[in-house]
Amino acid sequence: MAAGFVYREHGLNCDGVAVADIVSAVGTPVYLYSAARVREAFTTLDRAFAAAPHTIHYALKANSTLALLRVLRALGAHADANSGGEIDVALRAGFEPGAIVFTGVGKTREELTKAAGLGLKAVNVESAGEAVRLGEIARALGRRVRVAVRVNPDIDAHTHTHIATGRRGNKFGVPLEHVPGLFRDLRARDGLDPVGLHVHLGSQLLDVAPLAAAARVLANLAREVRDAGIRIEHLDLGGGLGVAYDDGVAPSPAAYAEAVLPAIREAGAHLVLEPGRALVAPAGVLVGRVADLKAYPGSPRFVILDTGMTELIRPMLYGAFHRIGAVVPRPGEAPVSEIVGPLCETSDTLGRERAVGPVEVGDAIAVFDAGAYGMVMASNYNRRPMAAEVLIDAGGWRVVRRRQTIDDLLALEE
Ligand code: LLP
């Protein structure tokens, strides 16, 4: 049986543990994660790419809770960090500096200095200016820094515009035609070792064709740069593999591998992947309780939860769909409802026109596939303390991040 969250006779269950029991003990809102589901996703992806030398650098931005990072590291995952903070968290989770790639537009001098001093696997540089600054820092430290150039290939990833990153009009990467020149410049620059090419087209990709096109672009560039005498060690295809939030189908890891591997193999380079969402989204649920119910004539039925945009901002930010269901469904019928949060904004809606069946105040409600870009994008808006997080593993469960308190929040203030 597949690991993770499934409905059984007595309600929602995760790997043999009743979700209702955890929620009663820990309270709401709470994020629950299935370690087994994360392992399954990692192993499936890793096996799909078995035919080519590759390394999976988990993108911490999707969810960097230490307990989950430790699960991934134990499986052989490496790390992709997008800030100095994520580098620190990766190190604390036990990733070696040489297993970390550092991506991200707008890296500060402090972040570049940290990266240069650590000896990361690669700093993915986003512009000629960033390369110059990194070179200066490396020379000042007397170090050599391994760099990859992030290419903007001008490829449409067919995803939500907020999370599409590979078009010419986006702030990310170096335009294709400037990459060979930048590479020659890097080679001439003391302190930097150009070792790779990087691309990230966007996130939640449901079509592998753009990923195949990006792999082809990197392979062609590698050849061009190699002809100029520079050896490319690795091609980094970024992340982006989508998941099925609704009843649709997302591309399988096998389809992903089949699409990109021909070009990578021809280039004869080591493949780096930076998946985030596909490894953790299906492994997590957010659970809240019904705080109030409203049904007035001429207005929809509102199911008002004790959780909303402060815990999961994806629906309001991207119009994202997440399945929603009662932890212990009640028998019978009820009109479709607006599933909303308690925050002071109409946009604080988790799901529109949903059939969650009859519910009563106090019932626990699960929002599915919330393991990626949920907790990491949480906020304290309305002075709401952040949710607790629970890891379910090997038939047991434990709180891996306690619920924030108002004292935690105020501890930083005068
Ligand atoms: N590598 C780079 C350079 C990235 O920018 C990202 C995601 C990834 C890897 C991981 O991509 P994934 O495999 O997770 O698609 N908050 C948005 C998603 C933003 C993604 C940003 N970059 C959401 O909730 O949908």
Side-chain angles (χ1 to χ4, degrees):
M1 193 190 295
F5 296 87
V6 286
Y7 279 101
R8 297 245 180 105
E9 206 182 328
H10 300 292
L12 191 61
N13 190 286
C14 178
D15 306 327
V17 181
V19 167
D21 292 347
I22 305 176
V23 173
S24 301
V26 181
T28 53
V30 60
Y31 271 100
L32 312 180
Y33 306 115
S34 158
R37 187 69 182 79
V38 172
R39 291 191 187 102
E40 192 176 277
F42 182 89
T43 310
T44 309
L45 186 66
D46 198 30
R47 286 201 187 127
F49 283 88
H54 68 279
T55 316
I56 298 177
H57 286 251
Y58 169 65
L60 263 74
K61 57 174 73 86
N63 188 327
S64 56
T65 297
L66 287 171
L68 277 184
L69 294 182
R70 292 185 187 117
V71 167
L72 283 158
R73 191 178 59 84
L75 295 168
H78 289 206
D80 163 29
N82 201 73
S83 67
E86 284 189 353
I87 293 176
D88 285 336
V89 170
L91 293 172
R92 292 213 199 174
F95 291 95
E96 298 292 335
I100 301 172
V101 293
F102 180 28
T103 331
V105 77
K107 301 180 196 73
T108 63
R109 183 163 284 277
E110 290 69 30
E111 287 174 321
L112 291 173
T113 306
K114 180 198 288 285
L118 281 167
L120 302 183
K121 175 178 174 112
V123 176
N124 295 334
V125 297
E126 291 265 355
S127 72
E130 186 173 270
V132 169
R133 288 191 294 280
L134 184 58
E136 283 165 10
I137 291 167
R139 284 198 300 283
L141 293 175
R143 308 218 28 156
R144 301 198 66 77
V145 178
R146 295 161 53 84
V147 295
V149 172
R150 176 164 182 179
V151 182
N152 182 322
D154 195 22
I155 293 173
D156 187 349
H158 309 303
T159 187
H160 194 285
T161 51
H162 287 17
I163 51 176
T165 51
R167 292 310 297 272
R168 186 169 289 274
N170 302 140
K171 67 181 174 183
F172 300 95
V174 177
L176 193 50
E177 65 275 18
H178 293 281
V179 174
L182 177 56
F183 243 86
R184 285 192 292 278
D185 184 49
L186 288 179
R187 190 178 46 168
R189 196 169 288 282
D190 276 351
L192 300 184
D193 288 328
V195 295
L197 289 164
H198 173 243
V199 70
H200 173 74
L201 290 185
S203 198
Q204 183 54 9
L205 273 52
L206 293 175
D207 177 7
V208 292
L211 292 162
R216 183 60 60 194
V217 164
L218 287 199
N220 290 344
L221 271 174
R223 195 170 314 120
E224 192 176 336
V225 174
R226 197 171 294 158
D227 290 347
I230 306 174
R231 207 182 81 78
I232 298 283
E233 277 179 32
H234 74 252
L235 299 180
D236 180 342
L237 273 185
L241 188 62
V243 303
Y245 284 103
D246 52 18
D247 294 333
V249 269
S252 66
Y256 181 22
E258 202 177 309
V260 304
L261 281 185
I264 303 293
R265 279 225 201 79
E266 272 171 44
H270 189 95
L271 174 65
V272 168
L273 297 170
E274 300 172 352
R277 186 190 316 265
L279 297 184
V280 294
V285 299
L286 166 66
V287 181
R289 284 194 190 277
V290 178
D292 195 11
L293 291 163
K294 258 192 213 188
Y296 289 106
S299 187
R301 174 191 188 229
F302 286 103
V303 174
I304 306 170
L305 304 182
D306 64 0
T307 185
M309 61 179 269
T310 37
E311 287 71 45
L312 185 65
I313 201 171
R314 304 194 67 256
M316 109 168 228
L317 199 54
Y318 315 113
F321 177 92
H322 285 260
R323 287 178 296 122
I324 298 174
V327 167
V328 182
R330 293 176 185 273
E333 301 282 321
V336 294
S337 308
E338 300 291 295
I339 315 297
V340 301
L343 286 114
C344 56
E345 302 205 16
T346 298
S347 57
D348 180 31
T349 297
L350 288 170
R352 311 209 56 192
E353 296 184 18
R354 297 304 181 83
V356 289
V359 292
E360 289 178 14
V361 169
D363 283 4
I365 306 288
V367 183
F368 291 87
D369 302 311
Y373 306 110
M375 189 64 179
V376 286
M377 293 175 80
S379 79
N380 292 123
Y381 190 33
N382 286 193
R383 286 287 195 182
R384 287 167 56 81
M386 284 191 197
E389 294 181 287
V390 167
L391 186 70
I392 298 154
D393 196 8
W397 61 271
R398 64 183 202 276
V399 175
V400 292
R401 182 196 290 200
R402 70 163 168 81
R403 186 178 306 289
Q404 215 174 27
T405 64
I406 291 295
D407 284 340
D408 290 333
L409 258 73
L410 295 180
L412 306 177
E413 295 186 32
E414 184 181 50

